[in-house]
Amino acid sequence: RIGYDFVEWDIPTPAAVGDENISIKAVWEAEEYNIVYKDMGDNKDFSGTHENGYPTSHTYGTATTLKGASKTGYTFDGWFTNSGCTGNAVTSLGATAYTDDIPLYAKWTANKYKVHFDEYAVKYADRKGGYTRMIKVGLRKGDAASVALIQLVD
């Protein structure tokens, strides 16, 4: 029986000697599957923070509601069942839709920020030229994006 493990036979004790009609029933237990959270892409560990009460398993025959996630500098775009995070985001796991451990992939979109140079514009307004210096700082924790420090040189 898909989604269930056989536990035992339920064999009732006859009420009296000679009873011929006995109903024997199989006892089944719903299987439980692990939910494995990952980041978008092939085999990337989950790098965000789960909302409180997020599920770590899914029981066959019962729908499981998923919770959101957060990550500094990113917008969470939902959980997906494929590593490319294509198609529609999944908000719940159907009662009978899964019969094995379930990988879910977080889709993140980097937040965009505007940098305003108003205070520096006054200082450099009369300059006919100048230079900028870029210093590679390293890789950002979480997504390994390159980080650089930009300096305006007098």
Side-chain angles (χ1 to χ4, degrees), residues 134-146:
M134 292 181 60
I135 302 170
K136 292 183 180 179
V137 177
L139 300 177
R140 182 170 50 199
K141 185 178 180 180
D143 66 354
S146 296

PDB file of all heavy atoms in Angstrom, residues 134-146:
ATOM      1  N   MET A 134      39.503  50.905  -6.316  1.00  0.00           N
ATOM      2  CA  MET A 134      38.695  49.737  -5.959  1.00  0.00           C
ATOM      3  C   MET A 134      39.598  48.716  -5.292  1.00  0.00           C
ATOM      4  O   MET A 134      40.623  48.334  -5.843  1.00  0.00           O
ATOM      5  CB  MET A 134      38.029  49.126  -7.189  1.00  0.00           C
ATOM      6  CG  MET A 134      36.961  50.012  -7.790  1.00  0.00           C
ATOM      7  SD  MET A 134      36.146  49.291  -9.211  1.00  0.00           S
ATOM      8  CE  MET A 134      35.450  47.824  -8.531  1.00  0.00           C
ATOM      9  N   ILE A 135      39.208  48.301  -4.120  1.00  0.00           N
ATOM     10  CA  ILE A 135      39.971  47.307  -3.378  1.00  0.00           C
ATOM     11  C   ILE A 135      39.095  46.072  -3.207  1.00  0.00           C
ATOM     12  O   ILE A 135      37.988  46.157  -2.653  1.00  0.00           O
ATOM     13  CB  ILE A 135      40.380  47.857  -1.992  1.00  0.00           C
ATOM     14  CG1 ILE A 135      41.209  49.136  -2.164  1.00  0.00           C
ATOM     15  CG2 ILE A 135      41.141  46.800  -1.198  1.00  0.00           C
ATOM     16  CD1 ILE A 135      41.439  49.880  -0.866  1.00  0.00           C
ATOM     17  N   LYS A 136      39.571  44.939  -3.690  1.00  0.00           N
ATOM     18  CA  LYS A 136      38.829  43.695  -3.517  1.00  0.00           C
ATOM     19  C   LYS A 136      38.912  43.281  -2.048  1.00  0.00           C
ATOM     20  O   LYS A 136      39.993  43.131  -1.506  1.00  0.00           O
ATOM     21  CB  LYS A 136      39.394  42.593  -4.401  1.00  0.00           C
ATOM     22  CG  LYS A 136      39.165  42.835  -5.882  1.00  0.00           C
ATOM     23  CD  LYS A 136      39.690  41.672  -6.697  1.00  0.00           C
ATOM     24  CE  LYS A 136      39.464  41.914  -8.176  1.00  0.00           C
ATOM     25  NZ  LYS A 136      39.976  40.811  -8.992  1.00  0.00           N
ATOM     26  N   VAL A 137      37.740  43.128  -1.424  1.00  0.00           N
ATOM     27  CA  VAL A 137      37.674  42.787  -0.012  1.00  0.00           C
ATOM     28  C   VAL A 137      37.620  41.277   0.190  1.00  0.00           C
ATOM     29  O   VAL A 137      38.110  40.748   1.162  1.00  0.00           O
ATOM     30  CB  VAL A 137      36.447  43.463   0.648  1.00  0.00           C
ATOM     31  CG1 VAL A 137      36.299  43.066   2.092  1.00  0.00           C
ATOM     32  CG2 VAL A 137      36.556  44.975   0.519  1.00  0.00           C
ATOM     33  N   GLY A 138      37.004  40.572  -0.735  1.00  0.00           N
ATOM     34  CA  GLY A 138      36.868  39.117  -0.610  1.00  0.00           C
ATOM     35  C   GLY A 138      35.492  38.677  -1.057  1.00  0.00           C
ATOM     36  O   GLY A 138      34.866  39.319  -1.902  1.00  0.00           O
ATOM     37  N   LEU A 139      35.017  37.607  -0.459  1.00  0.00           N
ATOM     38  CA  LEU A 139      33.719  37.055  -0.815  1.00  0.00           C
ATOM     39  C   LEU A 139      32.728  37.264   0.323  1.00  0.00           C
ATOM     40  O   LEU A 139      33.078  37.125   1.496  1.00  0.00           O
ATOM     41  CB  LEU A 139      33.844  35.565  -1.124  1.00  0.00           C
ATOM     42  CG  LEU A 139      34.786  35.208  -2.273  1.00  0.00           C
ATOM     43  CD1 LEU A 139      34.870  33.701  -2.436  1.00  0.00           C
ATOM     44  CD2 LEU A 139      34.329  35.855  -3.574  1.00  0.00           C
ATOM     45  N   ARG A 140      31.489  37.590  -0.040  1.00  0.00           N
ATOM     46  CA  ARG A 140      30.436  37.815   0.934  1.00  0.00           C
ATOM     47  C   ARG A 140      29.975  36.476   1.504  1.00  0.00           C
ATOM     48  O   ARG A 140      29.800  35.502   0.770  1.00  0.00           O
ATOM     49  CB  ARG A 140      29.262  38.540   0.263  1.00  0.00           C
ATOM     50  CG  ARG A 140      28.129  38.863   1.198  1.00  0.00           C
ATOM     51  CD  ARG A 140      27.099  39.772   0.575  1.00  0.00           C
ATOM     52  NE  ARG A 140      26.666  39.300  -0.723  1.00  0.00           N
ATOM     53  CZ  ARG A 140      26.065  40.074  -1.617  1.00  0.00           C
ATOM     54  NH1 ARG A 140      25.849  41.340  -1.377  1.00  0.00           N
ATOM     55  NH2 ARG A 140      25.691  39.585  -2.774  1.00  0.00           N
ATOM     56  N   LYS A 141      29.767  36.426   2.817  1.00  0.00           N
ATOM     57  CA  LYS A 141      29.299  35.213   3.468  1.00  0.00           C
ATOM     58  C   LYS A 141      27.869  34.916   3.016  1.00  0.00           C
ATOM     59  O   LYS A 141      27.055  35.811   2.917  1.00  0.00           O
ATOM     60  CB  LYS A 141      29.340  35.395   4.983  1.00  0.00           C
ATOM     61  CG  LYS A 141      28.996  34.153   5.748  1.00  0.00           C
ATOM     62  CD  LYS A 141      29.111  34.385   7.239  1.00  0.00           C
ATOM     63  CE  LYS A 141      28.754  33.122   7.984  1.00  0.00           C
ATOM     64  NZ  LYS A 141      28.842  33.298   9.417  1.00  0.00           N
ATOM     65  N   GLY A 142      27.591  33.684   2.736  1.00  0.00           N
ATOM     66  CA  GLY A 142      26.233  33.284   2.372  1.00  0.00           C
ATOM     67  C   GLY A 142      26.088  32.942   0.904  1.00  0.00           C
ATOM     68  O   GLY A 142      25.616  31.878   0.561  1.00  0.00           O
ATOM     69  N   ASP A 143      26.506  33.843   0.012  1.00  0.00           N
ATOM     70  CA  ASP A 143      26.351  33.570  -1.410  1.00  0.00           C
ATOM     71  C   ASP A 143      27.648  33.676  -2.189  1.00  0.00           C
ATOM     72  O   ASP A 143      27.669  33.489  -3.397  1.00  0.00           O
ATOM     73  CB  ASP A 143      25.295  34.486  -2.027  1.00  0.00           C
ATOM     74  CG  ASP A 143      25.706  35.957  -2.029  1.00  0.00           C
ATOM     75  OD1 ASP A 143      26.761  36.288  -1.447  1.00  0.00           O
ATOM     76  OD2 ASP A 143      24.986  36.769  -2.624  1.00  0.00           O
ATOM     77  N   ALA A 144      28.740  33.973  -1.503  1.00  0.00           N
ATOM     78  CA  ALA A 144      30.083  34.043  -2.102  1.00  0.00           C
ATOM     79  C   ALA A 144      30.194  35.074  -3.233  1.00  0.00           C
ATOM     80  O   ALA A 144      30.991  34.917  -4.142  1.00  0.00           O
ATOM     81  CB  ALA A 144      30.526  32.674  -2.586  1.00  0.00           C
ATOM     82  N   ALA A 145      29.372  36.140  -3.171  1.00  0.00           N
ATOM     83  CA  ALA A 145      29.475  37.220  -4.160  1.00  0.00           C
ATOM     84  C   ALA A 145      30.736  38.051  -3.859  1.00  0.00           C
ATOM     85  O   ALA A 145      31.096  38.225  -2.698  1.00  0.00           O
ATOM     86  CB  ALA A 145      28.244  38.107  -4.123  1.00  0.00           C
ATOM     87  N   SER A 146      31.378  38.536  -4.886  1.00  0.00           N
ATOM     88  CA  SER A 146      32.570  39.371  -4.713  1.00  0.00           C
ATOM     89  C   SER A 146      32.183  40.701  -4.068  1.00  0.00           C
ATOM     90  O   SER A 146      31.167  41.295  -4.410  1.00  0.00           O
ATOM     91  CB  SER A 146      33.242  39.646  -6.049  1.00  0.00           C
ATOM     92  OG  SER A 146      33.707  38.447  -6.617  1.00  0.00           O
TER      93      SER A 146
END
